[in-house]
Amino acid sequence: MFGAGAMTNSIPEIRGTDLMFVIGSNTTEAHPIIAMEMKRAKKNGAKLIVADPRRIWLADIADLYLQLKPGTDVALLSAMMHVIVTEGLHDRAFVEAHTTGFDDLVASVQTATPEWAETITEVPADDIRQAARLYASTEKAGIYYTLGITEHSHGTDNVYGLANLVLMTGHLGKEHCGMNPLRGQNNVQGANDAGASPIYYAGYQRVDDPAAQAKFEAAWETPLSPTPGMNLNVMMKHMGGLIRGLFIMGEDIVLSEPNTERVEAGMNGLDFVVVQDIFLNETTRFADVVFPAACFAEKDGVFTNSDRRVQRVRKAVDAPGEARPDWQILVQLAQAVGYPMPDYQHPSEVYSEMAQLSPKFSGISHERLEDNVGGLQWPCPDPEHPGTATMHTEGPIIGKAPFQTIAYRPSEELPDSNFPLLLSTGRTLYHYNAGTQTRRASGAIAKQPQNFIEMSRRDARKRGLDDGQLVQVSSRRGTVIAAVNISPRMKRGCVWMPLHFPEANTNRLTNDVGDPVTQTAEFKVCAVRVQPLVQAAK
Amino acid sequence: MTETPTELTLTLDGEQVHAKDGETLLDVCRRAGKEVPTLCAEDRVDPMGSCRMCLVEVEGQRRLQPSCAFKVQAGQVVQTASDKVKRHRQLLLSMYLADHELDEDDLPRERGTGNQLRQHVLDHGTGPKLPAINAPREYRMENNPYIHFDPEACVLCNLCVRYCDEVEAVSAITLAGRGAKTTIATADQKGLLDTTCEMCGGCIAVCPTGAMTEKPSLASDFREEEVVRSTCNFCGVGCQVNLHTQDNKVVRVTSPPAGETVNDGNLCIKGRFSMEFIQHEDRLTQPLVRGDDGALHTTTWENALKVAAQGLMGVKEKYGADSLGFISSSRCTGEENYLLQKLSRAAFGTNNCHQCAAT
Ligand code: SF4
Ligand code: SF4
C-alpha cells in the first residue's frame, strides 16, 4: 500500500476523530480497547459508519449501518468511489500532488452506481450515497478494518478499494485519519517487521534486491538465496510435494488453517516436522520433535502492536520444567546444524542486530524502551528520533501512491441448493484464535463452552431448529457439530461460526482457495448446509 | 475547540496559583501538590461529587464544595486544610468507618490492591467512633469466575457503575436498593455472566477500596506481590500490563495507570483474566521425540536438538533447501521472529519462511 502495511495513524488519535468508517471489523470483540476509544469518540460527537454482514455491537450505536452480503465489499467500495467522483467530493489538490492513475480509476467506477451495488450488496443505494458523502466531506475521518476485509479470495481488492477511498479524499498524512488495519494478534506487526516473510528480510528489505542481499550476507557471514520463498498458503498447498519438512514455531496450523482435511493429508505427506510450542495441540500430532517453549510471561523481548508501537515484554516468572524461550531454542538449533549463530546473552542483543540492519527501526533499542513507557512507534531512524505517530505527513513514502482499479467478482463458493447458507467465520471476545490459551480460562469456558452457529430466526424456523439445539454443519469439505444460536444480528441466508474449538473445528468447513495476490484463504465466505443432529445420523 | 482557554489566578491556601478556565479546583490542587483526598474521582469518567471526600472551603460559599466538580474562577480564595475542612474530613471518615468492614486495628480491611479509605483514615484521622450500621445488603453478582464483590467494603462512590457506563459502555451494573441498603448490583439481580458484562474488570481497577476484586487473586496479599511491566500477548492493541507475581506464579494482572500508555488504564477480559494458561498443568515441560512406536517420548534437549537437526538436514540433502518451510508465530517476540528468518535463510538457505497470520 503506502509503503508497508500498517496502521497509518495511532490508536490514541481515534478519540479525536470526527468520523470512523469501520468495515469488516467486529472491533468490540476482536480489539476491545480500540473499541473503547471508538465509543469515546462517539461520545465526543464523532460519526460512526459500520459495514459488516453481522449486525455487530458497534452497528447498534452507528449513525449509518450497512449490512452488506458477505463477500460483496468490492461492490460497496466501488459504489462509494463512484459517488465521490461523480459528485466531485474528492480532494483535488491531494490527488494531484500525491497520487497517480486517478483518471483510470474514475473510468473504472463509471458504471458502479449505488443502484448497481444495491443489487449485489443488498445495501440500499441511498445509504451507500450517504456513507460516501459523509466520509468524503468529513475532514478528520479514519478507516478501520481487519480480517473481515482481508480473509477473502478478493482480499487484496478490498484493501485496494479502501486505499483508493483514503487517497481520493486525502485522508492521509493527517491526524485522526488514515487507513488503519487492526492487527488480529499481538505481534503480527512485529513478526512482519522482523522479516518472517518469504519476500522481505527484517525491515521490509526485499530478498531479491541485490543490495539488501549483500548487506545481510555480510552481516550473517553466509551466502543467501535471492529467490523469494513460498508464503504460508503456498507452502500448505505443496505439503508432501515441493515441501517435505516443516519447522513450526508457536502456531497450531492444523487447527487454524482452512480446509482441515487437506491440511491433515498434507502434514501426513511430510518427511519431517518440528514443532516448538507451549502446549500439545492438533499440529503436534504430526510432529517428529516437539520443543517445549516459554510463554510471553517467561521471557524478554518486544511486541509491536497495530499502530507500529514497539513495546517491551518482560520475564516475570520462570518457564515450567525444562521449557526454554523460543529465541534460545532457535540459536541452539542453528548451531546444531553447523551455522555459527552468535551466543546472544539476551534478546536486547538480537534486537540491536536487527535494528542495525533495518533503517526503519534503527533508532529503537531495549535501552530506549526503558525510558519510553508508552513504547516507540516506527519509523524511528535514529536514537534521537521520537518515533512516528502519524505516517505520511509529507505524502506517501514511496513517492506518489498509485490508485489501483478493482472489479467486483463474486466469492469463489456461493450457496446453491445443496449448500444453501453462506458461512462466515471469526473470533469472539472470550476466546482467542486457536484457543490453546483462552480455552484454559474459566471465563471463556463459562461464557462460551462449545462451538456454535449463529443464524437468523427465519433460517432456524425454516429448518425447525431451536436455540441451543445441536446441529450438523456441512460444507463440500467436511462436517462439524455446533449448537444453534438464534441471533438478531444475522442476515437471512447467512450463518456465522467462531474458530476456536479443536474438537469441532470450523476450519473443516472453510475454503482454502486463496486471494490471487496474497493467497490469503477465504475464511469469510463458503457455502454450508445445516441439519438437526438426529436427522443427520440416520 | 482549538481556542485556548483563558488563564486566571486564584488564591490556594494563601498562595497565588494559575489556572485555566474550565478546570476544576481538584485539577489545580493536584498541580499545586495539595493533598486533597478523593474516593469517587477518576479521570476517565465524568466527576460526580458523591463521596464528599474532596470538599474544600471556598470563600463566599456557605457550604464546603466538592473540588472535583467545582470550577475555578478568577480571584477565588480556596482553603484545602482549614479547620472546617479537617473537621469535615474526620467526621466523614467516621461515618464511612461505621459502614465498612474493619480489621483487628479498627481500620478498613485491605483487599485487592489496597484500600484508599484506609489510607485516608491513616492520613487524616477520624472523629468520634460511630455505631456500626450493619445494613443487610443483597447482591447477586457472584455467578461469574472473575469478579468478586464485597458490599461491606463498598463506599458507594459509584465509580464502577460509571466506568461500566461511560468507558466500557455496556451498563452491566447499577446502584440498587434504598437508604442504608443501597449497593452495587446487576439489573434484575442476575449473575454478572447473564448480563451485558464483558468481564473487562474495569470496575475492579477503578474501585478505591477493593470492594470489587479479582476473584482468582482473592487469596493473594498484594504487598507480597512483585510487579513486572509487560505487554499483553493476545490481540494487536498492545495493552500494557503489570504482571503481579508471587512464588514464581502470575497471580494478578493490572493495567499501569491511565494516561501514559496506549490502553489508558483499561484492559479487556483476555488481558486481565486469561492468564490461567501460564501455570496450566498441560504446559510442555520436556522435549519430545517420536519413537518407533509412533508415540512422542520425553528426551533430553541435547538429543531433541540432534534429532531435529538431522531430520531437517536430511530433508534438505534429499530435496534441496527449498523443500523446507519455516512457520513463525505472531505470538512470539520480534527478536524470535528475526531469529526464525535468520535460521531459515542463513542456517538452511531458504526464503520459505512466513508467519502464520497475514493480518
Ligand atoms: S467487568 Fe467491565 S463490563 Fe463487567 S461490570 Fe465490570 S466494568 Fe462492567
Ligand atoms: S488487554 Fe485485550 S484489548 Fe488489550 S491487548 Fe490484551 S487482548 Fe487486546
Side-chain angles (χ1 to χ4, degrees), chain B residues 159-190:
Chain B
L159 258 181
C160 53
V161 174
R162 287 147 67 208
Y163 181 92
C164 194
D165 282 349
E166 294 176 35
V167 182
E168 185 69 7
V170 300
S171 304
I173 48 178
T174 175
L175 273 181
R178 283 160 191 273
K181 288 190 189 171
T182 311
T183 189
I184 308 293
T186 56
D188 309 330
Q189 299 284 312
K190 285 186 278 200

Side-chain angles (χ1 to χ4, degrees), chain A residues 30-33, chain B residues 232-239 267-272:
Chain A
H31 301 90
I33 298 297
Chain B
C232 174
N233 86 323
F234 289 105
C235 86
V237 178
C239 292
L267 291 173
C268 82
I269 177 176
K270 283 167 280 192
R272 195 183 300 276

